[in-house]
DNA sequence: ATATGTGCAAATAATTTGCACATTA
DNA sequence: TAATGTGCAAATTATTTGCACATAT
């Protein structure tokens, strides 16, 4: 929360650039396993610390879902997510205009900084299986 | 996930009726502490088990937020939530019509069962403090 | 009687943190 | 060289689970 001078770190850079290559909202652990290929002795704690820091400064977004691990997203423009109850997959959903709409209709006792919309259901692949 | 015959239990009844008295989306632990007043030897495990069961059968809803404990809501009609980043409070938001709207605009590769919208920001009380 | 529910305590899973050392500005 | 970042391991927090006993049908 406090303004503190940022120093660059190769760990943070590696975490952010890895995250930018992915559109599937990986967990901290997946990020760890991947960044490790470049920086073998990076620790999971460092991954968590940097993800928290990047989230604080708005470079990335943290997505929390029911029960499971938090996921991270380098795409910060307004969009929604769809999560498959069956396979756990999380994908982006474009809903152009509707977010602004919902914001203008919502009577909220406070100031809104951010809005999260998640659709939950069954994805096409999983529906095909049954 | 499997259909299994439900037996009634006073613990489950107490949990559900307590939850119905609250509009502030309490955590499992808060529910535990309160139900305990009536059923002193109820265990936290039982509270979690029943909350999971009630969620499965759709009697209540489970809300997951950033980092903190899951919260539970006995109000199952469509509505959104507002969460104060500062004090953690979660309150209901009425957005009549907009949810249907967002659903009809969303192009999702699958079948949607449920939709969750959370506004995140600073509540009035917290804004006054600064 | 038999399936389902419970209490308890231990186990798990995700995330955070303290501390001594490393790195950046 | 002073502030910030890291690795490691231990600690914390939330939640789940195994098991023997209790309760509902």
């Amino acid at each position: 929360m406090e303004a503190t001078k940022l120093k660059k770190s190769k760990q943070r850079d590696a975490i952010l650039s890895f995250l930018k290559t992915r559109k599937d909202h990986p967990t901290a652990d997946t990020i760890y396993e991947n960044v490790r290929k470049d920086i073998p002795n990076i620790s999971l704690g460092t991954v968590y610390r940097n993800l928290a820091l990047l989230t604080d400064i708005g470079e990335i977004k943290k997505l929390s879902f029911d029960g499971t691990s938090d996921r991270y997203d380098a795409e910060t423009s307004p969009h929604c997510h769809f999560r498959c109850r069956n396979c756990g997959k999380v994908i982006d959903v474009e809903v152009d205009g509707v977010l602004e709409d919902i914001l203008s209709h919502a009577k909220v006792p406070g100031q809104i900084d951010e809005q999260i919309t998640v659709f939950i259901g069954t994805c096409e692949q999983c529906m095909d299986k049954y």
Side-chain angles (χ1 to χ4, degrees), chain A:
Chain A
M1 295 278 139
E2 260 317 310
T4 186
K5 279 151 217 155
L6 256 302
K7 269 178 195 176
K8 74 182 293 196
S9 93
K10 68 174 179 187
Q11 287 86 344
R12 181 157 61 237
D13 289 350
I15 289 166
L16 182 56
S17 56
F18 168 72
L19 193 54
K20 282 184 174 164
T21 69
R22 303 271 297 226
K23 305 205 161 174
D24 63 343
H25 321 86
T27 61
D29 202 68
T30 301
I31 295 166
Y32 170 59
E33 291 301 343
N34 280 276
V35 171
R36 231 177 163 185
K37 292 171 190 164
D38 288 322
I39 308 177
N41 67 331
I42 194 173
S43 78
L44 189 51
T46 293
V47 172
Y48 274 107
R49 269 184 293 228
N50 278 300
L51 289 171
L53 192 161
L54 291 166
T55 301
D56 274 355
I57 64 176
E59 285 280 309
I60 66 175
K61 278 189 155 191
K62 183 177 179 177
L63 313 174
S64 298
F65 299 100
D66 186 33
T68 55
S69 311
D70 287 341
R71 288 156 164 275
Y72 297 88
D73 191 349
E75 176 59 68
T76 56
S77 69
H79 64 284
C80 302
H81 295 101
F82 174 78
R83 177 170 190 245
C84 177
R85 211 172 230 139
N86 189 250
C87 66
K89 178 168 50 185
V90 176
I91 59 185
D92 292 335
V93 176
E94 297 308 323
V95 283
D96 32 39
V98 184
L99 292 187
E100 291 73 9
D101 219 54
I102 217 176
L103 277 169
S104 65
H105 282 73
K107 279 183 241 125
V108 170
Q111 175 201 309
I112 299 175
D113 296 338
E114 197 184 339
Q115 189 258 5
I116 293 171
T117 292
V118 181
F119 301 99
I120 299 175
T122 310
C123 74
E124 278 169 350
Q125 286 89 343
C126 286
M127 289 183 72
D128 290 347
K129 291 184 197 151
Y130 301 101

